[in-house]
Amino acid sequence: MLRKCDFRTRPARRNVVPMKTYRVALVWGSLMIVTSTRCAPKDEWRPLFDGRTTTGWRNFKSDSIGSGWQVVDSALTRAAPGAGDIITRDKFKNFELRLEWKIAPGGNSGIFYRASEDDDAIYWTAPEMQVLDDPHHPDGASRLTSAGANYEIDSSPPGFLKPAGEWNAVRLVVTGNHVEHWLNGQKVVDYELGSPAWEAKVKASKFAPHAHYGRNPEGYIGLQDHGDWVAFRNIKIRVLP
């Protein structure tokens, strides 16, 4: 099926094709249909990390990325103090994000989505999927702040987290107001931004005074520096309608 991009790049000709060029016209038409599939489909997976460099990432409210973030064993790693929170250079609206994370014993980090730079910290604008070593960090005592939770807003169930030092698989789906957190193949959080239930939870939380929290229609993907060693790999995204 032809799409709009085909007609922009190869406008239709109205003249009658001479008989002697008929075969060529058919071949050209076939090529036009085949190459039209190269018009970047929205459901195509795109890597956000190439496994070799920090290209595509920058620090929150900065145009560069600090030396505390390094590529170690093909993973984007918070390896040194002062790294700071980082964000993608591009914004995303509706998407499915997949990645793996591994954290040090007692470690804390997070994955932000639809972040903006309208406040003095990324967590005042962006919901966060918690990254945590539950058994050895105080936040693990509450399901609202345990691994997989929508930090301080929606709790995650226990039993799906792998131990510190092992890789955990994340699937994060954001479409319109609907959000799903998946951890190691299990859906652990499911909520609707802007719903009465969500509004009530936000109103009762520390995020209440921050007008942009959870309300950006699109934004950056972010990774948190909470002072602990953490690594992320196989980071990829696909844009959804």
Side-chain angles (χ1 to χ4, degrees), residues 91-234:
K91 293 182 179 181
F92 301 94
K93 184 177 182 179
N94 298 324
F95 60 87
E96 178 179 352
L97 174 72
R98 296 198 182 197
L99 59 77
E100 294 173 272
W101 61 262
K102 178 170 65 173
I103 201 161
N108 185 349
S109 182
I111 304 162
F112 298 104
Y113 46 97
R114 287 189 180 170
S116 68
E117 295 174 293
D118 298 300
D119 215 318
D120 58 3
I122 189 172
Y123 46 77
W124 294 137
T125 69
E128 175 190 352
M129 183 176 184
Q130 177 75 309
V131 170
L132 195 78
D133 175 26
D134 288 357
H136 304 108
H137 190 283
D139 278 359
S142 168
R143 297 315 308 171
L144 280 174
T145 53
S146 294
N150 176 25
Y151 186 78
E152 287 198 1
I153 302 295
D154 295 286
S155 62
S156 62
F160 304 104
L161 177 67
K162 293 185 179 180
E166 294 187 19
W167 290 104
N168 289 271
V170 161
R171 178 176 175 237
L172 179 60
V173 182
V174 181
T175 53
N177 290 330
H178 184 70
V179 180
E180 297 177 6
H181 293 188
W182 293 71
L183 182 63
N184 296 319
Q186 177 68 34
K187 184 164 66 173
V188 293
V189 166
D190 185 325
Y191 71 96
E192 300 290 328
L193 290 161
S195 66
W198 182 84
E199 293 284 3
K201 291 175 183 178
V202 172
K203 187 177 180 180
S205 76
K206 67 181 182 182
F207 304 111
H210 300 274
H212 290 278
Y213 176 79
R215 303 185 191 280
N216 295 319
E218 66 174 3
Y220 305 104
I221 305 297
L223 302 176
Q224 187 180 47
D225 170 18
H226 205 280
D228 303 309
W229 185 96
V230 63
F232 301 89
R233 70 179 185 184
N234 297 328

Side-chain angles (χ1 to χ4, degrees), residues 41-107:
K42 284 192 173 183
D43 61 352
E44 182 177 318
W45 286 101
R46 166 188 166 187
L48 292 181
F49 171 58
D50 62 14
R52 302 183 306 276
T53 70
T54 57
T55 299
W57 296 84
R58 63 181 178 88
N59 277 104
F60 182 72
K61 291 197 172 183
S62 173
D63 193 48
S64 60
I65 187 169
S67 60
W69 286 96
Q70 302 170 17
V71 180
V72 180
D73 295 331
S74 300
L76 183 55
T77 307
R78 187 278 181 197
D85 300 330
I86 58 173
I87 57 175
T88 54
R89 291 192 175 271
D90 294 332
K91 293 182 179 181
F92 301 94
K93 184 177 182 179
N94 298 324
F95 60 87
E96 178 179 352
L97 174 72
R98 296 198 182 197
L99 59 77
E100 294 173 272
W101 61 262
K102 178 170 65 173
I103 201 161

